[in-house]
Amino acid sequence: MMIEAMNDTKILTVLGSTGSIGTQTLDVARMHGYGIKALSANTNFTLAEQQAREFRPETVCMTDESAYRELKARLADTDIKVTCGKEALCETAAIKADMVINAVVGMVGLEPTLAALNAKNRVGLANKETLVTGGELVKAAAKANNVDIIPIDSEHSAIFQSLMGNSGNKIEKIILTASGGPFFGYNKEQLRSVTLEQALKHPNWSMGKKITVDSATLMNKGLELIEAVRLFNVTPDMVEVVVHRQSILHSAVEYEDGAVIGQLGVPDMKIPIQFAVTYPKRLASLSAKLSLFDVGTLTFERADEETFVCLAEARKAIAKGGTAPTILNGANEAAVAAFIAGKIPFYRIGELVSSCCAEITHKGDVTLDTIAEADSSAREYVMKKI
Ligand code: NDP
Ligand code: MG
């Protein structure tokens, strides 16, 4: 993939600016003095106000209506425009910027990604649900508008970096590393009694709640497998999932000659976030440096897909294609929200995802309408079962 370098002065839009990736993106912007064109958030008007006062964007879009009203009142003494709703979020993504960082959580990120690409804005993509549900549409929009998508997810950034300088060379496989999450080594019986508090304690990364639960079920790796297939045009069987408990090797690429090129570093999302913005340059960063002596040992193991069924379901969904990954994702979003709300135990997430994927029929045709329909049938299915 040939991607052009960006200018040195950067004006960014950050969607999902109050979240884990969003706040770290603003840390990077603060360090390098990047301008902020627009911000978006959902409910957290307190942090959105602080960010708006510090970075002085033109626009802040709040999805939640009462948060919008509160923020509008709080920013009344400024000339910052405050907007609200799904359409406004797409309009925000379409404002001209050097890069739109999409760090919202969930498939709600799909239309803003498309809006950014259709406005010819380069996209730094953290929102993996975008590629899982609407990968074909996103790729087509990027191609039609001749704009690039640079991955921020640490594994995909590592793969992207491992592909640099190798265009034209045949790759044999992608090695997608997984931390294994807090329940690595547990059997089905042990998973029946785990708590939300335990699920939210990720061994290596500090992230938003939804992705932290996804890491505990291994659905995160399933979504990332689909993300890798979409981003790097490989078949699902070319993606090998390897559990690597230390999260130091962020992923790798094996070439035809047997050479394996990977990217290593401390587990800190500011590294892939910054690289997405500065690509192909590298700048000094706020992140700690890796000491292999301190790490000592790197281990690699197979994932247990019989216990962690979400990963196996993701493989099946990408093999089916069409709207099957959307059904998987919709069931998972609904089940994870129910788990976080204390309505179902942890092990039910996998069960609900599996039965939903088996019972809801997918469509081969992928459009915004078929995606929306598949997503709502999956969510309704899960809601009925809980
Ligand atoms: P968080 O939950 O920390 O943040 C999510 C952001 O999205 C917040 O700004 C939130 O607003 C906003 N948001 C939530 N719901 C909506 C909605 N319905 N409409 C619009 N905005 C909404 O998530 P993360 O930062 O952890 O993750 C963001 C994305 O990046 C996810 O897709 C995740 O899988 C991916 N990712 C995250 C990594 C990480 O280290 N965190 C690593 C790799 C990928 P508010 O807070 O105001 O309610
Ligand atoms: Mg990841």
Side-chain angles (χ1 to χ4, degrees), residues 128 152-156 177 205 207 211 220-221 224 227 269:
K128 61 192 77 183
I152 286 180
D153 207 347
S154 57
E155 295 77 2
H156 304 77
T177 52
W205 299 95
M207 310 179 285
I211 182 176
N220 186 47
K221 217 43 58 181
E224 289 184 354
E227 192 185 359
M269 287 307 295

Side-chain angles (χ1 to χ4, degrees), residues 3 9 13 21 39 70 81 91 108 164 170 178 182 190 192 209 231 266 273 281 292 294-295 311 318 368 376:
I3 293 182
T9 358
T13 284
I21 295 288
L39 296 173
E70 182 67 36
K81 193 171 150 196
E91 283 162 17
V108 67
M164 282 168 68
K170 187 168 170 268
Q190 290 168 307
R192 290 185 86 83
K209 279 187 184 170
L231 278 171
V266 294
I273 292 169
K281 283 192 184 166
L292 285 173
D294 289 348
V295 177
L311 177 54
I318 185 70
L368 281 178
S376 32

Side-chain angles (χ1 to χ4, degrees), residues 36-50:
I36 298 295
K37 191 75 174 178
L39 296 173
S40 95
N42 186 26
T43 53
N44 193 345
F45 53 79
T46 312
L47 184 54
E49 181 192 359
Q50 278 173 27

Side-chain angles (χ1 to χ4, degrees), residues 263-321:
Q263 184 249 326
L264 293 81
V266 294
D268 180 343
M269 287 307 295
K270 284 196 277 296
I271 298 175
I273 292 169
Q274 176 171 304
F275 188 67
V277 180
T278 64
Y279 169 86
K281 283 192 184 166
R282 295 185 186 273
L283 298 183
S285 84
L286 296 163
S287 307
K289 297 288 191 290
L290 173 65
S291 160
L292 285 173
F293 296 116
D294 289 348
V295 177
T297 309
L298 300 180
T299 58
F300 302 97
E301 294 159 82
R302 282 181 203 284
D304 172 2
E305 295 189 25
E306 265 180 46
T307 304
F308 294 89
V309 293
C310 289
L311 177 54
E313 288 300 337
R315 274 188 209 286
K316 284 192 226 161
I318 185 70
K320 282 187 204 164

